[in-house]
Amino acid sequence: MKIALVSPIEETVPPVLYGGIEWVVYYLAKILAEKKHEVYLLTTKNSPKNGNYKIISIYNQSIRRIEPYKSNLKIRETAKFIAISNALKFLIKEKFDIIHNHASWRFLIFEKLFLPKKFITTLHGPMNIDYQNIVFLDNKDSYYVSISNNQRKDLSNINYIKTIYNGVDVNFFKFKEYDKQNHLLFFARFSPEKGIKEAIETIEMTKRKLVIAAKIDKADQIFFASLKERVENNSNIEFHGEIGLDQKVSYYQNARALFVPIMWEEPFGLMFTEAMATGTPVITFARGSVPEVIKDGETGFIVNPSDDDIRGDWFIKKTGIEGLCEAVERIYSMPEEQYRKMRKACREHVEKNFTVERMVDEYEKVYYEILNKH
């Protein structure tokens, strides 16, 4: 097949620091090319080429960490549409079996230009944003892949062809046995929806150690300022900011548990599967994809958000912050052999369900299914 993959331009593909969508796109490009498909990756000019796919530059550079894009969201938005324009110029001239959109609603606006070419969109974000849903509903008969079943709940009446979970490179995220891991890790964006405030409150109550490795987006700087004093004045909290790829694995491996008590309907949560791949269990709220990704009591502990929001009958019976405190204490009070068993179960769970090879195989099947329909 001749396949075009359209990526966002916030980060390079693969990303240097924080990135979720970009890792999915990278492994699709790399492994599909290894399977002898002709793959064109539409991304930023500064993206390194790490496979047999072809890079088509649609913007000169990744934009999230440089000015003026970093501080001016309107300029950032303009850049995204310039990139889409450049992508369109290339795609309209070429013939592809599949055009795979990872740039969400902005690129989907132009789908009708490609008929009868085969167009598929992976939905990487939440489906409850009104202005975006106008575009999805205007193209409701297009082909959509959800990254969790829960993601579909807010927009159920579009043409979902399959749910495909994001994959992890288990060769890169290496497993580590129990080695006196004694701190919790918050690895996510420093934002309200990722639950950093709730994580801090839990640490203040339990007196356990928390390492925070978090990027701070422009939109979250005021929120960060509101919590900065609590972070800096708590001797149990270490703030390390955004970390690089090489550091990420070590941070996961050396944590007692990944502690990201999400406060939104997380579409997937790649950090959960990355942590489990290294053997590190997860503590979080039962929101979004969590019950699909984490095996309660086996690869971590799931907590109901509140007494008024019960999502399941979990090992931890308390809810909210009290439930998080109970889960944290349980992860520390486990006998060593039981904790070792949990770490191994984390790794096995990812190897069975969330590898990049499995992810790419599932997408390849969907491509052929779409081609067969036409």
Side-chain angles (χ1 to χ4, degrees):
M1 284 183 286
K2 187 176 180 181
I3 303 163
L5 304 174
V6 183
S7 176
I9 61 166
E10 279 86 352
E11 304 285 349
T12 59
V13 178
V16 176
L17 295 175
Y18 187 91
I21 299 172
E22 294 79 12
W23 279 116
V24 172
V25 176
Y26 166 67
Y27 281 111
L28 274 170
K30 183 175 184 294
I31 297 175
L32 285 169
E34 290 171 357
K35 287 171 169 275
K36 307 305 181 184
H37 297 293
E38 186 179 355
V39 180
Y40 291 77
L41 171 58
L42 281 64
T43 183
T44 60
K45 187 176 182 179
N46 62 331
S47 290
K49 188 173 183 293
N50 295 327
N52 293 325
Y53 52 85
K54 300 175 178 66
I55 287 183
I56 304 300
S57 171
I58 57 175
Y59 209 72
N60 284 333
Q61 57 205 337
S62 52
I63 63 175
R64 181 176 67 82
R65 289 179 284 115
I66 61 172
E67 297 293 355
Y69 315 101
K70 180 180 177 180
S71 58
N72 191 317
L73 297 182
K74 290 184 178 180
I75 292 178
R76 188 189 296 196
E77 188 70 13
T78 301
K80 292 177 184 179
F81 277 102
I82 291 173
I84 288 171
S85 174
N86 291 332
L88 293 171
K89 291 174 186 176
F90 171 75
L91 292 171
I92 288 173
K93 293 178 182 178
E94 295 284 332
K95 291 183 178 180
F96 288 94
D97 297 305
I98 292 289
I99 296 174
H100 191 168
N101 169 32
H102 295 271
S104 192
W105 63 275
R106 294 175 185 86
F107 192 73
L108 184 66
I109 292 172
F110 304 99
E111 179 200 4
K112 296 179 179 67
L113 293 173
F114 299 106
L115 295 178
K117 293 178 179 178
K118 318 307 182 300
F119 196 99
I120 178 174
T121 296
T122 294
L123 301 167
H124 291 282
M127 303 305 296
N128 61 353
I129 303 175
D130 290 343
Y131 70 88
Q132 297 181 15
N133 286 353
I134 292 172
V135 179
F136 294 128
L137 290 170
D138 189 52
N139 297 274
K140 65 180 181 179
D141 294 328
S142 182
Y143 294 113
Y144 295 97
V145 169
S146 51
I147 55 176
S148 68
N149 294 321
N150 182 82
Q151 185 189 30
R152 301 184 180 195
K153 291 181 178 179
D154 288 317
L155 193 66
S156 60
N157 56 338
I158 60 176
N159 184 30
Y160 295 100
I161 191 168
K162 195 174 183 63
T163 290
I164 300 177
Y165 295 125
N166 290 341
V168 172
D169 184 350
V170 295
N171 295 314
F172 183 76
F173 290 93
K174 295 186 182 299
F175 173 73
K176 185 175 182 179
E177 292 273 5
Y178 173 61
D179 185 27
K180 307 299 182 185
Q181 289 91 341
N182 199 40
H183 66 266
L184 302 172
L185 172 67
F186 180 91
F187 181 82
R189 287 181 288 110
F190 199 109
S191 61
E193 61 266 25
K194 294 296 186 179
I196 182 61
K197 182 173 179 289
E198 290 68 25
I200 292 170
E201 289 179 8
T202 304
I203 293 307
E204 290 171 342
M205 295 175 68
T206 62
K207 310 300 183 186
R208 298 295 183 178
K209 183 178 178 181
L210 176 67
V211 172
I212 300 173
K215 76 164 183 171
I216 305 170
D217 281 339
K218 170 71 173 176
D220 296 318
Q221 288 179 353
I222 294 175
F223 176 69
F224 172 72
S226 72
L227 293 172
K228 184 178 179 182
E229 187 174 337
R230 289 169 70 179
V231 170
E232 292 179 342
N233 294 337
N234 191 325
S235 60
N236 291 317
I237 297 177
E238 291 183 13
F239 180 76
H240 293 192
E242 188 172 9
I243 61 174
L245 177 61
D246 292 340
Q247 295 173 288
K248 182 195 289 192
V249 177
S250 177
Y251 271 64
Y252 281 138
Q253 289 174 330
N254 293 303
R256 182 81 180 186
L258 179 70
F259 186 42
V260 183
I262 55 171
M263 296 297 291
W264 71 316
E265 299 305 298
E266 183 80 56
F268 182 75
L270 196 59
M271 69 281 188
F272 296 144
T273 50
E274 289 175 345
M276 289 189 295
T278 68
T280 297
V282 178
I283 298 172
T284 189
F285 281 132
R287 297 181 183 272
S289 65
V290 165
E292 297 176 53
V293 175
I294 298 161
K295 298 180 74 173
D296 184 49
E298 295 183 38
T299 68
F301 294 109
I302 300 174
V303 178
N304 281 314
S306 70
D307 290 342
D308 297 323
D309 189 4
I310 303 297
R311 310 266 183 121
D313 183 17
W314 316 117
F315 278 82
I316 303 299
K317 302 307 178 186
K318 293 179 181 179
T319 66
I321 298 297
E322 288 188 354
L324 294 178
C325 290
E326 182 183 340
V328 167
E329 293 305 332
R330 181 169 290 210
I331 208 80
Y332 278 100
S333 64
M334 294 172 68
E336 181 178 323
E337 189 57 37
Q338 186 180 355
Y339 180 69
R340 287 181 181 275
K341 183 179 179 181
M342 178 174 276
R343 291 190 72 89
K344 291 178 180 178
C346 287
R347 176 68 177 194
E348 291 168 359
H349 181 50
V350 173
E351 288 177 336
K352 183 178 179 181
N353 299 288
F354 302 112
T355 65
V356 289
E357 292 81 7
R358 180 187 175 101
M359 176 188 75
V360 174
D361 285 347
E362 292 299 309
Y363 274 112
E364 187 181 36
K365 291 174 186 176
V366 166
Y367 295 165
Y368 281 122
E369 181 179 345
I370 291 173
L371 291 175
N372 290 335
K373 286 177 183 290
H374 294 271

